Amino acid sequence: MTNSKTYYAKAFIEIDGEIQFGNVIQTETLTPTIKSFSPDFGTEGDDFILKGTNFTKDTQVFFGDTQATITSIVDESTIHLKIPPPIAVNVPIKLLSQNVKLEFPHFLNIKLVPMS
């Protein structure tokens, strides 16, 4: 499916051999959106959840410029992924889906854990 594409639909019913038609309605496919994420902070490898709409199998998520590994996409509205290695303490969350680029207006705070 393509985002923001217009479709037209018309319902019909057959009653006692007679076909009756409903009105034509116009509908549009959803554009990908980012609504929320959790947790607000984390470390490399932690589970992370991104909620929104119309996440298809081509969806990619980035923390800054580092691509995250998506573990699953549920009902095209919830992405489960792992936080990638940190580049900075506060990183923007970016999403690419169906050639639509989105950036969440808040940053993820990443805990930098010292190496032992």
Side-chain angles (χ1 to χ4, degrees):
M1 224 186 268
T2 305
N3 66 70
S4 300
K5 184 169 180 161
T6 302
Y7 290 90
Y8 298 92
K10 186 175 188 177
F12 69 93
I13 188 169
E14 182 179 343
I15 300 174
D16 296 328
E18 182 182 336
I19 297 177
Q20 297 178 10
F21 291 95
N23 295 330
V24 173
I25 60 168
Q26 180 178 327
T27 187
E28 190 171 289
T29 55
L30 297 174
T31 300
T33 61
I34 302 173
K35 294 184 178 179
S36 66
F37 65 83
S38 66
D40 291 335
F41 60 89
T43 59
E44 177 181 350
D46 285 353
D47 293 324
F48 188 80
I49 298 173
L50 190 65
K51 294 197 176 254
T53 58
N54 206 25
F55 300 140
T56 54
K57 63 183 175 183
D58 72 330
T59 300
Q60 297 174 311
V61 177
F62 298 86
F63 288 73
D65 293 328
T66 305
Q67 187 170 354
T69 301
I70 295 174
T71 54
S72 67
I73 298 176
V74 181
D75 296 330
E76 293 189 354
S77 65
T78 305
I79 298 175
H80 294 266
L81 51 91
K82 297 286 185 185
I83 296 175
I87 306 247
V89 176
N90 293 311
V91 294
I93 299 169
K94 301 174 188 175
L95 183 135
L96 177 61
S97 184
Q98 302 175 60
N99 295 320
V100 173
K101 294 177 185 177
L102 302 169
E103 186 168 334
F104 203 81
H106 304 317
F107 292 88
L108 172 69
N109 295 316
I110 296 180
K111 290 191 237 176
L112 299 174
V113 179
M115 300 292 287
S116 352

